[in-house]
């Protein structure tokens, strides 16, 4: 262990050292001080007014003002988006105004826009009514002219039947419509209007039933779309004319028109009056159209001037609201002249915070300086890792499982390499890797442009993980070169093959096999193995054993990190009774299996490792026979088996009893120091960082927890090792699926002489490769690599029950807006 103690510290392995600080700010400089802290973005203040509702806090009125201004700015944004005006989110020329001026200006702009919208709405409504009236005049006038022309020749034929009726009320309406002019003037009427095309059929049926068939309905398409007054959308409408008789029928028809949202317009019967009225309506429409265009230009000009500054105004209001929300987290002192706050900050940031507070005091012309000092704390500080564009996505992958405890070993340091590498083991194909590389490079080269745009959920996820995809692509190319697969096709990249066929026809490659005639292929799988008799047995064996080696290595790394954690926190109990037995148990069984795999590869032995591992438990003293790989193997197996058996009670029993002994001695007044352990978490009062309370020691609870932890590790050592076989399974599935697409789609289509069939086969192959292999298989391998890190690797040392450092930062507010 002396070697580990001499290693230099890793900056990113532990979270930043945090300090609990207290600030006492005079009231006159409070706003400026909090603003400067927001610009710095390195202080997370605690809410000292948790018992108060938002309406009982000191600066509630200022928060309400900011909320009202935010509502007005959202209204401006909605109006700008509806008008289709685009504005740069970060204009080059920024007009600096204070909050009071912004409040006055936003109120003026809102009143002006509301007035313009109301006027525009009235004009638009009048324009639509006149447009509908014009359409009704054009269509309904044609109906009336046609009815009058039809009445003259029909008069002679029907006059005898009409006048022979004794009861005038029994005359059918269709016959009344062609009666002589004197009779028509006495009882026949009509109503003309316009209705949505979708309601036309139902409207006609309702009219027929309400009048018991005593009406004549005529309709025609309006010829152009009209804006619907309710939805505001352009809809198809139909002009109608209803002929009827009687005042009662008129009332019914008008009520039905009102219920269906039909607009009724009066149309004169004389053709000359219709033409005169149509000219007048057309003239008024032209005037209204010019007025509406002028109003829209004026409105768009006003919106454009707002849009040029809207983003700055939104950020200003967000900052101001954030300042007052933060001030509401502070308490007044007894004199009511100072605000007192407590919070966490990184230790390295304390000089910067002091400097910002000094500037706030000077710029606010305060006679009293701001007090900034450290406080003692027994509660767990927040976790803060400094990340950049490259490491941020890997840290988010780890944080999705759980935020690290304060200064707990950070798995993201190792996941930067292990995560994309395990992905590539399952996805190894350098053709597919090149496709991923191309996509990641496009995202990286356009990251400034894409970072300022609002993307969809999938694109946002891909853009956030662009550097993860980059490393996944690079490792996939590397593993693909080892597997010698380019869209499942092998290539002679690093020289000629070491094997050749027995004859020129090469017909026995799948049966008898190949002949080795020169040195092995220098890098990766020999391309002549493709399609040979030994291809699947060889690749399955290699990938399965490689998966076990990678799994045992990564699990050992996880246990080793638990040692570094225990050493860092001074927990000798965890080192002696957790790290050591876990390391012994895992390597006595599966570390030994990894050793046998390496020896078998190096010696070329034909030993059956399944038989060796099974009979290591069933018959430890039995003769190994032809499965013996080295001298003293049987004795070593017996020793390793005994060590694994001893490691289980070593994990289970000592730690709970030692914890109980230490607890008893501490509370009997003896002067023994506390022997640190990760299980002895100290509870704290959240209202104050200066008081510490200890929970009563519950031996049964500690013992049960240790027993669960021990059983979980023992069973997990078996299941986790088997879980790494997914590397072999997914690699095989990816390779076989690529082969199926290549042989059954591309080669099959290429066997035809038809150009159309070849193009169709190429298109289907490209579609299957893109959507199945490059999307579904990528997602599948990503999730499996995620599982291997979260469960098999991080489960060995990572608690993940901390909480993130969330400072008050204007930069974070601006990023949320973007």
């Amino acid at each position: 262990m002396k070697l580990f103690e001499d290693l230099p510290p890793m900056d990113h392995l532990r979270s930043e050292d945090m300090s609990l600080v207290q600030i006492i700010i005079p009231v006159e400089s409070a706003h400026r001080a909090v603003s400067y802290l927001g610009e710095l973005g390195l202080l997370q203040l605690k809410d000292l007014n948790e018992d108060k509702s938002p309406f009982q806090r000191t600066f509630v009125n200022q928060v309400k003002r900011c909320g009202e201004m935010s509502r007005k700015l959202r209204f401006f944004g909605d109006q700008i988006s509806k008008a289709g005006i685009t504005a740069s989110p970060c204009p080059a020329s920024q007009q600096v105004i204070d909050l009071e001026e912004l409040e006055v200006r936003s109120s003026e702009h809102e009143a002006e826009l509301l007035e313009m919208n109301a006027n525009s709405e009235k004009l638009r409504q009048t324009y639509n009514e006149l447009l509908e009236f014009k359409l009704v005049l054009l269509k309904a006038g044609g109906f009336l002219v046609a009815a009058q022309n039809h009445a003259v020749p029909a008069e002679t034929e029907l006059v005898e039947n009409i006048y022979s009726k004794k009861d005038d009320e029994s005359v059918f309406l269709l016959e009344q419509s062609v009666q002589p002019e004197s009779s028509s003037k006495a009882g026949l009427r009509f109503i003309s209007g316009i209705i949505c095309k979708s309601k036309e059929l139902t409207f006609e049926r309702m009219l027929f039933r309400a009048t018991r068939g005593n009406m004549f309905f005529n309709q025609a398409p309006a010829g152009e779309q009209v804006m619907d007054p309710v939805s505001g959308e352009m809809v198809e409408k139909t002009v109608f004319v209803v002929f009827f008789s009687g005042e009662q029928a008129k009332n019914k028809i008008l009520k039905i028109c009102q219920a269906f949202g039909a607009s009724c317009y009066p149309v004169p019967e004389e053709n000359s009056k219709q033409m005169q009225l149509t000219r007048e309506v057309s003239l008024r429409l032209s005037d209204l159209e010019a007025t509406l265009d002028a109003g829209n230009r004026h409105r768009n000009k006003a919106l454009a001037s707002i849009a040029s500054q809207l983003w700055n105004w939104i950020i200003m209001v967000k900052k101001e609201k954030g300042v007052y929300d933060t001030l509401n987290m502070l308490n007044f002192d007894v004199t009511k002249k100072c605000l007192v706050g407590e919070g966490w900050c990184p230790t390295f940031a304390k000089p910067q915070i002091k400097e910002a507070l000094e500037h706030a005091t000077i710029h606010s012309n305060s006679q009293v300086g701001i007090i900034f000092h450290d406080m003692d704390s027994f509660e767990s500080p927040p976790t803060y890792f400094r990340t950049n564009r490259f490491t941020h996505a890997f840290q988010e992958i780890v944080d999705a499982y759980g935020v690290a405890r304060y200064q707990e070993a950070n798995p993201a340091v190792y996941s930067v390499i292990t995560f994309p590498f395990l992905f590539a083991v399952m996805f190894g194909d350098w053709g597919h890797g090149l496709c991923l590389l191309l996509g990641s490079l496009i995202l990286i080269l356009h990251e400034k442009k894409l970072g300022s745009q609002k993307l969809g959920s999938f694109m946002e996820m891909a853009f956030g993980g662009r550097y993860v995809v980059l490393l996944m692509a690079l490792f996939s190319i590397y593993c693909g070169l080892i597997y010698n697969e380019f869209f499942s096709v092998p290539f002679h990249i690093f020289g000629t093959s070491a094997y050749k066929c027995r004859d020129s026809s090469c017909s026995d490659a799948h049966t008898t096999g190949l002949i080795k005639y020169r040195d092995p292929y220098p890098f990766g799988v020999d391309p002549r193995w493709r399609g040979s008799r030994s291809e699947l047995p060889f690749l399955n064996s290699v990938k399965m054993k490689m998966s076990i080696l990678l799994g045992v290595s990564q699990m050992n790394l996880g246990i080793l990190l638990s040692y570094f954690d225990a050493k860092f926190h001074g927990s000798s109990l965890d080192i002696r009774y957790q790290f050591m037995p876990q390391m012994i148990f895992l390597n006595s069984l599966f570390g030994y299996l990894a050793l046998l795999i390496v020896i078998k590869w190096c010696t070329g032995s034909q030993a059956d490792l399944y038989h060796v591992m099974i009979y290591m438990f069933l018959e430890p003293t039995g003769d190994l026979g032809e499965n013996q790989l080295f001298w003293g193997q049987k004795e070593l197996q017996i020793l390793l088996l005994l060590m694994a058996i001893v490691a289980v009670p070593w994990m289970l029993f000592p730690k709970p009893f030692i914890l109980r002994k230490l607890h008893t001695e501490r509370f009997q007044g003896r002067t023994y120091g506390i022997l640190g352990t990760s299980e002895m978490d100290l509870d704290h009062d959240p209202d104050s960082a200066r008081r510490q309370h200890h929970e009563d020691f519950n031996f049964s609870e500690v013992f049960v927890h240790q027993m669960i932890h021990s059983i979980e590790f023992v069973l997990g050592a078996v299941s986790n090792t088997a879980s790494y076989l997914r590397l072999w399974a997914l690699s095989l599935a990816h390779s076989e699926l690529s082969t199926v697409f290549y042989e059954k789609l591309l080669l099959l289509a290429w066997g035809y002489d038809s150009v159309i069939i070849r193009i169709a086969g190429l298109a289907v192959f490209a579609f299957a490769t893109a959507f199945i292999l490059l999307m579904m298989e990528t997602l599948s391998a990503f999730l499996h690599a995620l599982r291997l890190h979260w469960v098999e690797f991080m489960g060995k040392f990572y608690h993940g029950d901390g909480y993130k450092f969330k400072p008050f930062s204007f930069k974070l507010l601006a990023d949320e807006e973007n």
Side-chain angles (χ1 to χ4, degrees), residues 380-454:
S380 178
T383 301
Y384 174 50
F385 293 105
R386 281 189 279 184
T387 59
N388 51 33
R389 291 181 298 177
F390 182 79
T391 60
H392 177 73
F394 293 97
Q395 190 64 56
E396 288 297 315
I397 289 174
V398 172
D399 290 346
Y401 176 82
V403 179
R405 284 183 180 179
Y406 176 61
Q407 293 199 334
E408 183 179 17
N410 184 16
V413 175
Y414 305 93
S415 298
V416 170
I417 298 299
T418 59
F419 182 84
F421 178 72
L422 291 185
F423 168 88
V425 171
M426 296 178 278
F427 194 75
D429 187 303
W430 63 278
H432 298 153
L434 286 175
C435 296
L436 288 182
L437 179 64
L438 180 62
S440 62
L441 289 178
I442 291 174
L443 293 175
I444 292 172
L445 293 175
H446 297 84
E447 63 181 7
K448 289 185 178 180
K449 178 182 178 181
L450 295 174
S452 61
Q453 295 178 355
K454 290 186 178 180

Side-chain angles (χ1 to χ4, degrees), residues 180-314:
E181 185 176 353
S182 59
S183 177
S184 177
K185 290 181 179 179
L188 184 61
R189 302 179 181 181
F190 67 90
I191 293 176
S192 55
I194 192 168
I195 191 172
C196 288
K197 189 175 181 179
S198 58
K199 301 178 182 179
E200 174 195 337
L201 186 59
T202 311
F203 178 64
E204 184 178 357
R205 289 178 179 176
M206 184 61 70
L207 288 175
F208 185 83
R209 292 174 181 174
T211 59
R212 297 182 181 179
N214 292 313
M215 65 95 190
F216 179 72
F217 184 83
N218 208 340
Q219 53 84 22
E224 59 181 286
Q225 291 186 334
V226 183
M227 181 178 291
D228 185 76
V230 179
S231 63
E233 297 178 355
M234 302 299 290
V235 295
E236 295 282 349
K237 291 204 172 186
T238 300
V239 176
F240 66 88
V241 177
V242 184
F243 295 94
F244 61 92
S245 178
E247 191 67 27
Q248 188 176 3
K250 175 184 176 182
N251 294 332
K252 289 181 179 180
I253 292 171
L254 289 175
K255 288 181 179 179
I256 292 172
C257 290
Q258 184 179 3
F260 277 83
S263 302
C264 297
Y265 298 98
V267 178
E269 295 185 21
E270 297 180 8
N271 192 23
S272 59
K273 292 183 178 180
Q274 292 177 12
M275 296 177 63
Q276 181 181 358
L277 193 56
T278 302
R279 286 192 296 270
E280 293 177 359
V281 171
S282 299
L283 185 61
R284 290 187 60 189
L285 280 173
S286 300
D287 295 340
L288 276 176
E289 192 170 352
T291 306
L292 281 171
D293 290 341
N296 286 335
R297 285 194 298 271
H298 177 65
R299 182 172 175 272
N300 290 340
K301 185 178 179 181
L303 289 175
S305 65
I306 295 174
S308 63
Q309 296 292 329
L310 182 62
W311 189 86
N312 294 322
W313 292 350
I314 292 174

Side-chain angles (χ1 to χ4, degrees), residues 45 100 140 302 322 384 431 494 522 563 635 646 663 695 711 714 723 773:
L45 288 168
E100 286 73 17
Y384 174 50
F494 302 101
Y563 164 77
E635 290 76 13
V646 170
H663 178 80
E695 290 183 353
I711 295 173
V714 172
S723 182
L773 294 177

Side-chain angles (χ1 to χ4, degrees), residues 75 109-119:
F75 170 71
H109 284 310
E110 184 188 30
E112 182 183 5
L113 282 176
L114 289 175
E115 183 179 0
M116 285 191 290
N117 289 343
N119 293 337

Side-chain angles (χ1 to χ4, degrees), residues 339-562:
L339 288 167
V340 181
E342 296 178 4
W344 294 100
C345 72
T347 303
F348 73 84
K350 287 194 288 186
Q352 302 175 46
I353 295 174
K354 289 180 181 179
E355 183 180 359
L357 295 177
E358 290 174 0
H359 290 166
T361 303
I362 296 171
H363 295 162
S364 59
N365 298 322
S366 175
Q367 302 299 321
V368 182
I370 300 174
I371 300 175
F372 176 83
H373 63 88
D374 292 348
M375 297 178 63
D376 296 329
S377 172
F378 294 102
E379 62 179 300
S380 178
T383 301
Y384 174 50
F385 293 105
R386 281 189 279 184
T387 59
N388 51 33
R389 291 181 298 177
F390 182 79
T391 60
H392 177 73
F394 293 97
Q395 190 64 56
E396 288 297 315
I397 289 174
V398 172
D399 290 346
Y401 176 82
V403 179
R405 284 183 180 179
Y406 176 61
Q407 293 199 334
E408 183 179 17
N410 184 16
V413 175
Y414 305 93
S415 298
V416 170
I417 298 299
T418 59
F419 182 84
F421 178 72
L422 291 185
F423 168 88
V425 171
M426 296 178 278
F427 194 75
D429 187 303
W430 63 278
H432 298 153
L434 286 175
C435 296
L436 288 182
L437 179 64
L438 180 62
S440 62
L441 289 178
I442 291 174
L443 293 175
I444 292 172
L445 293 175
H446 297 84
E447 63 181 7
K448 289 185 178 180
K449 178 182 178 181
L450 295 174
S452 61
Q453 295 178 355
K454 290 186 178 180
L455 306 173
S457 57
F458 177 78
M459 278 300 299
E460 185 176 359
M461 179 180 64
F463 177 73
R466 57 195 180 278
Y467 290 103
V468 179
V469 179
L470 174 65
L471 286 185
M472 285 162 46
L474 293 176
F475 279 110
S476 296
I477 295 172
Y478 171 74
C479 290
L481 291 173
I482 292 179
Y483 299 158
N484 202 346
E485 292 187 6
F486 178 83
F487 295 99
S488 77
V489 180
F491 282 87
H492 294 77
I493 302 175
F494 302 101
T496 57
S497 172
Y499 297 88
K500 65 179 181 179
C501 297
R502 299 176 185 272
D503 53 29
S504 58
S505 64
C506 207
S507 59
D508 56 353
H510 293 78
T511 56
T512 309
L514 303 171
I515 301 174
K516 184 176 181 180
Y517 73 101
R518 52 172 295 170
D519 292 336
Y521 193 68
F523 184 84
V525 176
D526 195 305
R528 292 304 296 270
W529 282 81
R530 173 69 179 212
S532 66
R533 182 186 64 176
S534 305
E535 178 191 11
L536 275 181
F538 169 74
L539 291 180
N540 283 342
S541 176
V542 169
K543 291 182 179 180
M544 180 173 62
K545 292 179 174 62
M546 181 180 62
S547 300
I548 293 175
L549 290 177
L550 292 174
V552 172
S553 301
Q554 191 173 34
M555 288 191 290
N556 272 292
L557 175 62
I559 298 174
L560 194 61
L561 286 175
S562 71

